[in-house]
Amino acid sequence: MAKYLIVNADDYGMCTAANEAVAELFEGGWLKSATIMMPCPTAADAVKFSIDHPQYAIGVHLTLTSEWGKYRWKPLTDGKTLIDEEGFMWHESDQVEKNASYEDIEAEIRAQIDLAHSMGMKPSHTDNHMGSLYGHYTGRFGLAKLALRVCGDYGYAYRFYTKHDKRICPKGTPYILYAAVTLLSKHWGKKYDVVIPDYLLFPDWNDDMRKSYETYRDMILKTWTNIPDGVTETFVHPSVENDELKTITARWQDRVWEYQLMKDPYTHKFLKDHGVEMISYRELIKMKGGKLKG
């Protein structure tokens, strides 16, 4: 088998810095997949871009967390278990797992997909912001089952994994737990007829990577090419550098470098030279025998 890599641009629609970066990357041919955060302030602009460019694989980034200090968003629904004491979505995924009810979560993620549909968008796939629907943090794996069932109802592919490999086991996760989740996702994916990548590679920023852009690029490309045969998905959060982004997060440089990484000709040459082909979610769906919805 060959090595295929999906690099999905998460957090599309989160702010104008993200929207500008993602649109440029798509139009330049450097990006093949992205997902929109429907509850966020600039989601409408991202949806319009998706409608105007149906050839791109753009989906819905199911969102249950609002992680920044001052730049926050609320649920689309009135689920009381989805919000913190300030009325915004929970900051962290473990808070969602501990506090949110299955009923409120299902209503919210359906509302996010339905809003995209009502605006005229035809999503290509779905995934989950910050992994709050995986159950990794508290062992509440019924959330993963819920997400796959909903995606099956709509007929959308979903970011998860059906195979495990020690090279890409999430940092801090016991390998035996990682392997067990693989069995669950494979079972539920088959049960609900959901297309899922083979492997999921969780990005892992650290201080060593932040020494320089070149250091980051070289370290991440080494990781991206040390993957198993089959289809591996990973994700970035590309954003242009502007004052808006700098007011949202002190780690704004990470997102700007992710944008640079996707634009960098060296990136695409390195992947090709190391036998890794970058594909989109549309291509994954075709490879897995699924039906394209968008």
Side-chain angles (χ1 to χ4, degrees):
M1 290 181 64
K3 293 183 178 182
Y4 299 99
L5 181 67
I6 297 174
V7 182
N8 191 82
D10 286 14
D11 296 8
Y12 192 20
M14 193 267 283
C15 62
T16 60
N19 288 3
E20 290 177 19
V22 171
E24 181 184 349
L25 291 173
F26 269 125
E27 293 177 324
W30 300 300
L31 180 68
K32 293 180 177 289
S33 297
T35 39
I36 301 172
M37 300 177 74
M38 296 306 299
C40 291
T42 61
D45 290 339
V47 169
K48 183 178 185 305
F49 180 87
S50 175
I51 295 169
D52 292 343
H53 301 85
Q55 70 272 29
Y56 300 139
I58 302 177
V60 176
H61 198 49
L62 302 175
T63 302
L64 294 168
T65 49
S66 179
E67 66 270 33
W68 309 118
K70 296 181 179 179
Y71 190 76
R72 308 287 307 280
W73 46 84
K74 299 180 179 182
L76 300 181
T77 57
D78 60 359
K80 301 303 181 185
T81 67
L82 301 178
I83 57 175
D84 62 14
E85 63 280 359
E86 296 178 338
F88 298 102
M89 286 183 168
W90 296 103
H91 279 279
E92 302 295 339
S93 294
D94 62 338
Q95 295 174 309
V96 174
E97 290 188 18
K98 292 174 183 176
N99 296 287
S101 72
Y102 285 107
E103 293 77 14
D104 285 349
I105 289 173
E106 180 167 351
E108 178 63 26
I109 62 177
R110 286 184 181 276
Q112 292 178 19
I113 297 172
D114 290 344
L115 176 59
H117 291 170
S118 72
M119 296 172 72
M121 181 182 173
K122 296 180 178 180
S124 55
H125 63 291
T126 59
D127 56 24
N128 173 221
H129 184 54
M130 295 177 66
S132 58
L133 288 172
Y134 292 159
H136 283 169
Y137 299 94
T138 63
R140 195 181 175 193
F141 297 116
L143 294 175
K145 182 180 181 180
L146 183 158
L148 286 165
R149 176 172 56 79
V150 170
C151 288
D153 288 346
Y154 285 95
Y156 289 130
Y158 182 64
R159 170 195 290 157
F160 215 14
Y161 50 91
T162 59
K163 298 180 181 179
H164 52 89
D165 187 283
K166 289 185 177 180
R167 286 172 288 181
I168 55 176
C169 179
K171 185 177 180 181
T173 301
Y175 187 72
I176 190 170
L177 175 61
Y178 167 55
V181 173
T182 298
L183 295 176
L184 292 173
S185 63
K186 186 175 183 179
H187 169 71
W188 291 328
K190 184 176 181 180
K191 179 178 180 178
Y192 299 118
D193 194 23
V194 177
V195 172
I196 304 172
D198 297 321
Y199 303 96
L200 179 56
L201 176 60
F202 292 85
D204 182 28
W205 275 95
N206 57 58
D207 289 341
D208 287 340
M209 298 172 79
R210 294 185 173 102
K211 291 178 179 178
S212 69
Y213 165 71
E214 288 75 19
T215 300
Y216 159 69
R217 181 193 65 189
D218 293 347
M219 290 179 71
I220 204 71
L221 290 179
K222 182 178 179 180
T223 301
W224 282 7
T225 51
N226 186 30
I227 56 176
D229 288 354
V231 181
T232 298
E233 186 193 352
T234 192
F235 43 96
V236 290
H237 311 84
S239 299
V240 299
E241 181 178 345
N242 63 18
D243 290 340
E244 173 202 43
L245 182 65
K246 293 176 181 180
T247 63
I248 294 172
T249 172
R251 291 294 190 188
W252 60 268
Q253 185 73 77
D254 294 358
R255 294 181 176 239
V256 173
W257 282 358
E258 289 179 324
Y259 161 64
Q260 284 183 248
L261 177 72
M262 298 307 297
K263 279 185 66 173
D264 194 332
Y266 181 88
T267 296
H268 300 276
K269 183 178 185 302
F270 190 93
L271 292 175
K272 183 178 180 180
D273 290 348
H274 287 77
V276 177
E277 181 180 350
M278 191 181 296
I279 64 171
S280 73
Y281 253 97
R282 293 188 182 279
E283 291 166 293
L284 168 70
I285 294 166
K286 289 180 181 178
M287 291 168 65
K288 296 287 186 178
K291 295 181 180 180
L292 292 171
K293 301 291 288 186

